C-alpha cells in the first residue's frame, strides 16, 4: 500500500502502465462537480467510480480485498480514514471470494489506520486488505480500479 500526494504521483507511475493516464485525468478534471458513477478511461482496464458515501465508524466498516484490481482511493471533499491489514494475517472471509465482482470481505479489524486527505491518494494492492470510508459525514471520493 502507498499513501502519497497527488503532486508526487510521477514517482509511482512506473508501478503500472495505466497510472500515468489515471493521474493525468484526475489532475486535469474537476471531479467534485461531475455526476456520480463510473468514468471509463480504458474499459475494464482502467476506470474511476465517483462516489458520495456516508462515512462509517471503524467498528462498522469491514476489510475488503480484490485480486484482479489495484484500488486507488482519492478523497476530494474531505479527509477519509482507511484501515489496513495484510491479507496473510486474515483467516476466512465472511463469504467465499466473489470472482465476478473481484471482492471479499472480512470482519477482522484493521491493524493500522491512515488519514487520506484531499490532494492525497492511497494505492491498495491485492495483498492489502482495506476498510475505506471511515469517518463522519459525507464524502465525495474517487475509487480508481486498475486491472493487474
Amino acid at each position: 500500500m502507498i499513501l502519497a500526494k497527488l503532486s508526487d504521483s510521477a514517482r509511482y507511475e512506473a508501478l503500472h502502465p495505466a497510472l500515468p493516464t489515471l493521474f493525468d485525468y484526475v489532475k486535469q478534471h474537476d471531479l467534485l462537480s461531475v455526476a456520480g458513477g463510473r468514468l471509463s478511461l480504458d474499459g475494464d482496464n482502467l476506470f474511476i467510480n465517483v462516489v458520495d458515501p456516508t462515512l462509517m465508524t471503524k467498528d462498522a466498516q469491514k476489510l475488503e480485498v480484490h485480486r484482479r484490481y489495484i484500488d486507488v482511493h482519492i478523497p476530494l471533499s474531505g479527509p477519509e480514514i482507511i484501515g489496513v491489514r495484510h491479507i496473510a494475517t486474515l483467516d476466512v472471509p465472511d463469504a467465499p471470494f466473489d470472482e465476478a465482482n473481484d471482492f471479499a470481505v472480512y470482519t477482522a479489524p484493521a491493524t493500522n489506520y491512515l488519514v487520506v486527505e484531499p490532494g492525497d491518494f492511497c494505492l491498495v494492492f491485492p495483498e492489502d486488505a482495506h476498510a475505506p470510508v471511515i469517518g463522519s459525514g459525507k464524502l465525495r471520493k474517487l475509487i480508481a480500479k486498475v486491472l493487474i
Side-chain angles (χ1 to χ4, degrees):
M1 184 210 4
I2 295 170
L3 173 62
K5 297 283 183 201
L6 281 168
S7 59
D8 296 328
S9 63
R11 293 185 182 274
Y12 305 97
E13 290 177 354
L15 294 173
H16 192 285
L19 289 176
T21 301
L22 170 64
F23 290 130
D24 286 347
Y25 188 89
V26 169
K27 290 175 186 176
Q28 294 175 16
H29 293 84
D30 176 13
L31 298 170
L32 269 171
S33 62
V34 301
R38 180 175 164 151
L39 300 172
S40 180
L41 303 184
D42 184 17
D44 288 338
N45 296 316
L46 175 63
F47 59 93
I48 298 170
N49 291 320
V50 180
V51 296
D52 299 290
T54 298
L55 299 174
M56 301 183 205
T57 64
K58 290 177 182 178
D59 293 338
Q61 185 57 300
K62 294 183 177 187
L63 292 165
E64 61 185 60
V65 295
H66 313 287
R67 293 181 181 159
R68 295 184 336 208
Y69 284 93
I70 297 167
D71 273 5
V72 186
H73 295 264
I74 306 171
L76 299 176
S77 65
E80 170 185 22
I81 298 169
I82 299 178
V84 294
R85 182 171 176 164
H86 195 277
I87 194 170
T89 68
L90 296 169
D91 289 326
V92 181
D94 293 5
F97 192 88
D98 181 341
E99 294 290 344
N101 293 306
D102 190 42
F103 187 81
V105 296
Y106 294 81
T107 54
T111 53
N112 293 291
Y113 292 89
L114 308 168
V115 177
V116 188
E117 300 280 350
D120 294 346
F121 68 91
C122 182
L123 220 76
V124 182
F125 296 93
E127 63 272 15
D128 303 319
H130 55 288
V133 296
I134 296 173
S136 62
K138 295 276 290 177
L139 176 71
R140 166 58 62 113
K141 74 173 284 190
L142 311 175
I143 307 163
K145 305 293 269 185
V146 181
L147 185 66
I148 298 173

